[in-house]
Amino acid sequence: EPMVQKHLESLQSSYGNGLETGPLQRLTNLLLVEGLTDIQQQEHDILQIEATKGLRNAAKSIPLEKLFLPLSKVSIPPRISVTVGVAGIGKSTLVKLFVYTWAKGQINRDLIFVLPLTFRELNTHEKLSAERLICSAFPHICISGGAARTLLILDGLDEFKTPLDFSNTVVCTDPKKEIQVDNLITNIIRGNLLQEASVWVTSRPTAASQIPGGLVDRMTEIRGFRAVEMKDFLDQMFLDNRDVSSQVLHHIRANRSLHAMCAVPGFCRIAGSSIGSYLRNSTSQSQETTAVPRTLSEICSYFFKTALSSDWPEKTRETLRIDQAANNSKKIVGSLGRLAFYGLLKKKHVFYDPDMKAYGVDLALLQSSVCSRLLLKEEVPSSTAYCFSHLTLQEFLAALYYYTAAKRAIFDLFTESGMSWPKLGFLNHFKSAVQRSLQAEDRHLDIFARLLCGLLSPQVNKLLAGWLLVKDEHNGFRSQAISFLQGCLNTDYIISSRTVNTMHCLYEIQHTEIAKTVEEAMKNEGLAGMLTPVNCSALAYLLQVSDACVEETNLSNCLTYNVCKSLLSQLLFCHSLRLDNNQFKDNVMELLGSVLSVKDCQIQKLSLAENQISNKGAKALARSLLVNRSLTVLDLRSNFIGPTGAKALADALKKNQVLLSLNLQHNAIKEDGATFLAEALLTNHRLTTLHLQKNAIGGHGASKIAEALRQNHSLKELTLSSNAVGDNGSVALAEALKVNHSLQSLDLQSNSISSAGVTALTAALCSNKGLINLNLRENSISKEGGPAIARALRTNSTLKKLDLAANLLCDEGGKAIALAMKENRVLTSLHLQWNFIQAQAATALAQALQSKGSMDTLQENAIGDEGMAGPSAALKVKTSLVDLHLQAASVGAAGAQALAEALMVNKSLQILDLRGNSIGVAGAKAMANALKVNRSLRQLNLQENSLGMDGAICIATALKGNHGLAYVNLQGNRIGQSGAKMISDAIRTNSPDCVVDV
């Protein structure tokens, strides 16, 4: 007990400082992930963020207090846990938070000891035993009889000086035996030493890949800022000026790539400081730069200059302050820059006193407040550890050093000893640096290359001129550097992340012409025929950074097999991807199937409509669906997958529990294909939308799907239009609807359904409690079906939309439905156009529909002037009707006059559509009189109404006193070209805000 108490007090005093609860809320919930993705194992941190937009496919999260507990009652606690996160995300802060919270007794009380160690400390030892590992860091703890209920924390594997080699581990089981530190760590992780202790390792993702996945029991990841957290973080940075905070956030959100990187707190602080300083200075003094910092090099330049400026003496003259700051910057670049550059080459990010001496870093400089803004200092046993406050700052200082040194160096700077073939001139050194970054397998020089290019941009030169750069010196190198970078893009359709980084280099150097040309074509859907190798590189870059790709990436009608193959690594991270009408064949489906099978895949919606995909391509996609965990919408309409392709997809659906929507419209799957899909619906409990229109499934295929609907309760929308379902299929579907109350939308348009089929369907509606939308348009429902529909409308309490257009209901059917509509309180949309409904039924329907907000039921029916009595009467008494559509309803002058009288008193109608009638001049005069009084109407369509010049003039004149009408259509009224101009001018004069089509 005394030992434990002393340990708790020690940890509370060491780890309690600087922990504010607000910004740390993000760390109390970690993402539970299943190992590292390919991109995490291979790419630089910033490249990971850019490619994935800072998002990760993680379905589960785990609270901090449960991090070392079993996930279920039947599992055991993890022995080896690994938490990964990019540089600056808060790994060490997370450890600090956990240790302090545990020491206060608030979490994980089952742990007797928590022993936090850092790899920075371990770097100071060559050999250690397991026993001395603990005792040297925690001398108050005595190990005896194992280490039960102990958590050993090893923070910062990416900072360890020696790579871990698990394949050649020398086995050691003696806790007293001293061995190489890297061998000690591998033995602890393997369980040869400290078997009873749990081990928690934190690391950047690439370094974490050193630990074999089979040894890791639990892997978690620290997520970046969400939108609200980023705002709160910036508010904390600018407590004295919330206006600056909101402006900084606005500028960050305006740049998609920058916004993704600012999800990382460490980088958000750099970007926020730079943009905030710019905004503050822009109001108080003339700006050296002409625009807010946007590129990585501009942000780092501004941050670096601000850090130096903050150290200026307050009372000296301006010239002295600038001179001192410039001298300071040159000293820092000369010493710290060399340390940063050669550290970067060796992948070394933590430095110790001997390193500082070796690179000639002035110890007095290390004590200055300038260095404290760039370097973090930590006391470790027998030494002091230094690291740059963020990896990007090390890379920027390395680029500054290289830029400065390259102007006078005569040997290759990448050879630290200086022994190399002579290399003269800045451009030769520049090319060497870019080539080195392109050749580096682990991409660790990519950001360095970007920042080096950025130092050649006019904006950065203007900012740093007189400090570190000579004014306008970039002009001598920039054009040749741009030409060299463009040459790196011409790679014959081999697009890699290296090519994309070259595009980033061009962006940093402020050469954006290629990207802008491709982006403009992309927005206008004009990429067809212009995707050369260089433009493909630009497109791959834009898929990461362009706002045109945020909602949907539309690459329809422009891709070939080779171009698609070259873009695969970038398509992986498009959330919504449209690849319609590209003449894709099955070989492209093999490519896309491989993309969908990758663990990194973030594609959620994929449209492949109107291509040339057969059953082989469908099989390739189906295989990917067995492992894919991101795709929720797949659109394959208008292809040729046939019954065999449908079977492959159906088999995948039996196991896939992610896909929500599948569109197989017009794929000739026929009866057999429908049968296979019906079998899948028996076991699939995720699919909510299935489109099978134009597939010739017939009545038997529909019956099979109906059988599945008796058991399936996940499907919400089913489209079976144009399938020759007939009455037999309709009867089967009706029987299913009696027991299935989860289906909400059923589309049976154009299926040769007669009154017998509709009688069965409407009988089912009397008991169905789920269907909201039923489409029976373009069938053969006669007047005998009207009473059956009427019975359903009287009893059904859920149906909101019913489409019966283009059937044969006639007046008798229309009247029956009208009587039922007086009692129905649920239906909001009823389509009865093209049903041979005439005056009597029209009057009845108008009376019945007085309580509805829109009336388009009567259009395309020959209701005539007599039938206009009903809608006109409804307008006089009804205050909620907003839309009235009477297109092609055989309305003449008398009908228009009745309608005009109603408009004089109506105050709710906003849209009136009378196109395709024959109201003539007399009707136009009546409507004109109404428009002088009516103030609610916003849109009036009188297209093709035989108005002639006189009728059109009446309407135009009436608008002089009407300022509510926003749109009038007078096309097709035999006005003539000269008359059209006169009418148009008159309307513009009388009602300037009204749009007129003449």
Side-chain angles (χ1 to χ4, degrees):
E1 283 298 323
M3 188 195 303
V4 171
Q5 191 58 38
K6 186 172 183 180
H7 184 61
L8 292 175
E9 291 170 0
S10 169
L11 293 181
Q12 286 181 36
S13 63
S14 303
Y15 286 80
N17 297 327
L19 282 177
E20 303 89 10
T21 55
L24 302 179
Q25 188 62 35
R26 173 180 60 90
L27 300 177
T28 58
N29 260 305
L30 304 180
L31 300 176
L32 192 62
V33 296
E34 296 182 9
L36 297 169
T37 63
D38 292 343
I39 196 168
Q40 284 181 308
Q41 296 181 55
Q42 298 165 9
E43 304 284 14
H44 186 289
D45 289 11
I46 285 182
L47 303 178
Q48 291 176 33
I49 296 166
E50 287 174 338
T52 61
K53 285 78 172 175
L55 302 172
R56 175 74 193 271
N57 289 341
K60 298 178 181 177
S61 63
I62 185 169
L64 187 60
E65 63 269 17
K66 294 183 179 179
L67 192 56
F68 306 106
L69 298 178
L71 289 179
S72 67
K73 293 180 180 178
V74 295
S75 59
I76 60 174
R79 181 176 177 271
I80 304 296
S81 299
V82 176
T83 296
V84 296
V86 296
I89 199 81
K91 298 180 293 296
S92 296
T93 307
L94 170 67
V95 169
K96 194 174 183 181
L97 176 66
F98 177 85
V99 172
Y100 182 70
T101 313
W102 173 81
K104 295 282 285 183
Q106 295 171 4
I107 58 172
N108 292 89
R109 294 185 177 182
D110 57 312
L111 294 170
I112 300 299
F113 287 113
V114 170
L115 309 175
L117 296 168
T118 68
F119 280 96
R120 291 181 189 178
E121 298 172 58
L122 298 179
N123 284 338
T124 61
H125 300 279
E126 293 299 326
K127 286 187 173 184
L128 277 176
S129 66
E131 195 169 285
R132 196 157 75 87
L133 171 73
I134 306 301
C135 294
S136 62
F138 307 101
H140 52 275
I141 292 178
C142 175
I143 292 184
S144 59
R149 305 181 78 188
T150 296
L151 174 65
L152 176 65
I153 302 176
L154 300 171
D155 181 28
L157 173 59
D158 50 284
E159 297 177 344
F160 194 33
K161 64 181 180 182
T162 313
L164 298 182
D165 184 0
F166 283 85
S167 57
N168 296 308
T169 302
V170 178
V171 176
C172 176
T173 56
D174 182 359
K176 297 182 182 294
K177 183 179 179 181
E178 298 219 344
I179 55 177
Q180 294 289 334
V181 176
D182 59 315
N183 204 15
L184 174 67
I185 299 302
T186 55
N187 273 287
I188 290 173
I189 292 174
R190 280 198 178 278
N192 300 325
L193 292 168
L194 304 180
Q195 300 94 329
E196 300 296 326
S198 296
V199 181
W200 181 22
V201 180
T202 70
S203 175
R204 287 168 59 199
T206 43
S209 63
Q210 297 175 76
I211 304 175
L215 296 178
V216 179
D217 301 309
R218 183 171 298 171
M219 182 166 282
T220 51
E221 184 174 342
I222 302 177
R223 65 171 176 81
F225 282 143
R226 293 193 177 110
V228 175
E229 292 163 337
M230 189 182 296
K231 180 183 182 302
D232 291 344
F233 183 82
L234 292 170
D235 285 344
Q236 284 292 113
M237 283 184 65
F238 301 101
L239 279 172
D240 58 329
N241 195 333
R242 289 294 172 88
D243 287 341
V244 170
S245 172
S246 61
Q247 288 179 60
V248 169
L249 185 60
H250 170 76
H251 285 296
I252 288 173
R253 285 175 174 168
N255 185 325
R256 189 180 177 201
S257 184
L258 180 60
H259 188 230
M261 289 193 288
C262 282
V264 179
F267 186 83
C268 191
R269 185 175 295 281
I270 294 172
S273 299
S274 301
I275 297 171
S277 296
Y278 171 87
L279 293 171
R280 280 172 162 164
N281 292 338
S282 65
T283 58
S284 59
Q285 63 187 60
S286 61
Q287 275 296 300
E288 295 116 314
T289 52
T290 56
V292 67
R294 286 177 58 85
T295 68
L296 198 57
S297 46
E298 287 167 14
I299 285 168
C300 289
S301 297
Y302 214 98
F303 182 84
F304 186 69
K305 188 173 178 180
T306 303
L308 293 168
S309 305
S310 303
D311 207 40
W312 290 346
E314 290 296 331
K315 296 181 181 179
T316 53
R317 289 183 296 115
E318 184 71 16
T319 51
L320 291 177
R321 291 168 64 193
I322 292 175
D323 288 345
Q324 182 168 344
N327 287 333
N328 274 350
S329 63
K330 287 170 185 172
K331 284 180 186 176
I332 288 172
V333 171
S335 53
L336 286 186
R338 189 163 181 266
L339 177 82
F341 177 67
Y342 289 109
L344 193 63
L345 296 189
K346 297 172 184 175
K347 302 173 195 172
K348 187 172 183 176
H349 308 296
V350 180
F351 307 95
Y352 299 86
D353 289 333
D355 298 312
M356 296 299 182
K357 290 175 184 174
Y359 287 99
V361 178
D362 186 356
L363 292 177
L365 188 64
L366 289 175
Q367 305 305 317
S368 70
S369 59
V370 176
C371 275
S372 69
R373 297 185 188 100
L374 304 174
L375 281 177
L376 300 176
K377 188 166 76 168
E378 181 182 322
E379 297 300 328
V380 295
S382 70
S383 187
T384 304
Y386 302 89
C387 70
F388 290 92
S389 54
H390 191 266
L391 174 60
T392 309
L393 290 181
Q394 180 179 349
E395 291 164 322
F396 178 68
L397 276 169
L400 269 174
Y401 167 77
Y402 189 88
Y403 178 93
T404 307
K407 289 185 286 186
R408 60 177 185 275
I410 57 174
F411 293 106
D412 186 1
L413 289 167
F414 281 86
T415 307
E416 190 173 359
S417 63
M419 300 299 292
S420 69
W421 289 102
K423 192 181 288 288
L424 297 172
F426 174 83
L427 281 169
N428 283 325
H429 286 288
F430 173 82
K431 291 175 183 178
S432 174
V434 173
Q435 286 167 340
R436 293 264 187 168
S437 75
L438 291 172
Q439 292 163 4
E441 287 187 13
D442 58 2
R443 314 289 310 286
H444 72 288
L445 294 176
D446 278 14
I447 305 303
F448 161 78
R450 284 191 209 178
L451 293 166
L452 180 62
C453 292
L455 293 172
L456 290 173
S457 77
Q459 192 88 329
V460 171
N461 180 271
K462 188 177 284 189
L463 179 62
L464 295 181
W467 291 57
L468 296 166
L469 308 180
V470 177
K471 186 178 181 182
D472 296 332
E473 68 177 343
H474 65 289
N475 292 334
F477 313 124
R478 186 168 175 267
S479 61
Q480 291 168 281
I482 289 170
S483 297
F484 176 73
L485 290 170
Q486 287 177 326
C488 296
L489 296 175
N490 207 351
T491 52
D492 193 25
Y493 294 115
I494 300 173
I495 309 296
S496 66
S497 45
R498 289 176 173 80
T499 319
V500 174
N501 198 63
T502 306
M503 286 299 304
H504 278 287
C505 288
L506 286 168
Y507 175 69
E508 292 289 334
I509 210 170
Q510 289 183 13
H511 180 79
T512 58
E513 283 80 354
I514 303 170
K516 281 181 178 176
T517 301
V518 176
E519 184 173 34
E520 196 61 36
M522 193 177 181
K523 288 177 179 176
N524 299 327
E525 298 186 18
L527 284 174
M530 66 173 292
L531 289 180
T532 61
V534 170
N535 286 346
C536 273
S537 302
L539 178 57
Y541 162 77
L542 290 168
L543 291 176
Q544 281 189 6
V545 304
S546 172
D547 290 334
C549 302
V550 174
E551 294 297 326
E552 180 182 73
T553 304
N554 187 355
L555 298 177
S556 300
N557 194 31
C558 66
L559 299 185
T560 62
Y561 173 85
N562 285 334
V563 173
C564 184
K565 185 177 181 180
S566 70
L567 292 172
L568 286 181
S569 60
Q570 304 306 318
L571 297 179
L572 197 64
F573 302 103
C574 298
H575 288 178
S576 181
L577 184 59
R578 269 184 64 195
L579 302 174
D580 303 341
N581 197 21
N582 276 306
Q583 284 77 53
F584 282 163
K585 297 184 179 177
D586 298 331
N587 55 354
V588 180
M589 296 309 103
E590 294 285 349
L591 295 176
L592 291 174
S594 67
V595 169
L596 291 170
S597 302
V598 174
K599 190 188 293 184
D600 290 351
C601 181
Q602 291 189 7
I603 301 173
Q604 296 172 8
K605 297 179 181 179
L606 176 61
S607 179
L608 291 162
E610 299 176 11
N611 282 290
Q612 298 172 21
I613 306 165
S614 75
N615 62 324
K616 289 182 180 178
K619 287 177 182 176
L621 292 172
R623 284 193 295 272
S624 70
L625 289 179
L626 295 174
V627 294
N628 178 276
R629 297 183 183 181
S630 66
L631 195 67
T632 58
V633 178
L634 177 60
D635 187 347
L636 290 171
R637 66 197 143 89
S638 300
N639 281 287
F640 311 99
I641 72 168
T644 311
K647 182 180 187 305
L649 291 168
D651 289 341
L653 284 176
K654 292 174 183 177
K655 296 182 180 178
N656 180 290
Q657 294 299 320
V658 180
L659 197 69
L660 298 175
S661 175
L662 177 62
N663 191 336
L664 296 179
Q665 173 185 342
H666 201 200
N667 264 288
I669 70 169
K670 301 183 179 176
E671 181 182 306
D672 288 346
T675 303
F676 296 133
L677 288 165
E679 290 174 7
L681 290 176
L682 293 174
T683 54
N684 183 288
H685 302 297
R686 286 285 291 170
L687 199 71
T688 60
T689 304
L690 180 60
H691 291 273
L692 297 177
Q693 57 265 52
K694 296 183 181 178
N695 268 300
I697 70 172
H700 189 68
S703 298
K704 289 292 184 182
I705 290 175
E707 288 177 24
L709 287 177
R710 290 169 172 267
Q711 296 182 43
N712 180 289
H713 298 293
S714 63
L715 202 66
K716 304 293 183 214
E717 182 180 335
L718 176 62
T719 304
L720 297 175
S721 56
S722 303
N723 266 304
V725 167
D727 288 336
N728 289 339
S730 300
V731 170
L733 288 165
E735 291 301 311
L737 287 176
K738 290 178 180 178
V739 294
N740 181 306
H741 301 288
S742 55
L743 193 71
Q744 295 178 359
S745 178
L746 177 60
D747 188 340
L748 292 171
Q749 178 177 340
S750 301
N751 268 301
S752 303
I753 300 170
S754 71
S755 296
V758 85
T759 299
L761 286 166
T762 51
L765 285 179
C766 291
S767 59
N768 181 278
K769 299 287 188 268
L771 205 65
I772 295 172
N773 183 9
L774 177 60
N775 186 355
L776 292 170
R777 175 183 285 248
E778 295 172 15
N779 280 289
S780 305
I781 305 169
S782 66
K783 58 187 178 182
E784 287 78 15
I789 295 168
R791 280 194 297 274
L793 290 176
R794 284 191 177 95
T795 56
N796 181 280
S797 60
T798 58
L799 197 69
K800 292 184 178 180
K801 295 180 181 179
L802 178 60
D803 193 339
L804 295 166
N807 279 286
L808 306 165
L809 289 171
C810 300
D811 257 18
E812 293 90 327
K815 284 180 190 175
I817 292 171
L819 291 171
M821 284 303 297
K822 288 184 177 180
E823 300 176 37
N824 183 289
R825 295 291 178 266
V826 182
L827 203 70
T828 57
S829 175
L830 174 63
H831 291 274
L832 289 171
Q833 51 266 52
W834 300 294
N835 259 293
F836 306 101
I837 292 173
Q838 296 182 356
Q840 289 184 351
T843 302
L845 282 164
Q847 291 171 352
L849 294 171
Q850 283 185 12
S851 61
K852 310 302 176 189
S854 174
M855 194 184 296
D856 53 10
T857 306
L858 302 175
Q859 65 184 30
E860 306 288 352
N861 284 293
I863 65 173
D865 290 339
E866 187 182 349
M868 283 303 298
S872 300
L875 278 178
K876 287 180 179 179
V877 297
K878 179 170 168 44
T879 57
S880 60
L881 189 68
V882 177
D883 299 1
L884 178 57
H885 298 268
L886 292 167
Q887 176 186 349
S890 301
V891 178
Q897 287 168 355
L899 201 56
E901 288 176 15
L903 284 176
M904 289 184 175
V905 295
N906 179 279
K907 296 179 180 178
S908 66
L909 195 71
Q910 295 182 14
I911 298 174
L912 175 59
D913 187 350
L914 285 171
R915 63 192 146 144
N917 288 288
S918 305
I919 70 171
V921 178
K925 287 181 179 178
M927 294 299 294
N929 290 330
L931 289 176
K932 292 176 183 177
V933 180
N934 181 283
R935 291 292 178 268
S936 66
L937 204 64
R938 297 289 177 266
Q939 296 182 26
L940 175 62
N941 194 335
L942 295 175
Q943 185 178 350
E944 297 175 1
N945 260 289
S946 306
L947 301 185
M949 177 65 83
D950 291 343
I953 289 174
C954 288
I955 298 295
T957 307
L959 293 183
K960 188 169 186 179
N962 185 313
H963 299 293
L965 210 62
Y967 174 77
V968 178
N969 190 329
L970 298 174
Q971 291 175 327
N973 277 295
R974 302 176 192 168
I975 298 171
Q977 193 168 351
S978 58
K981 185 178 186 309
M982 186 175 73
I983 297 296
S984 181
D985 291 344
I987 290 178
R988 285 198 187 95
T989 303
N990 293 333
S991 185
D993 297 328
C994 184
V995 176
V996 58
D997 284 334
V998 192

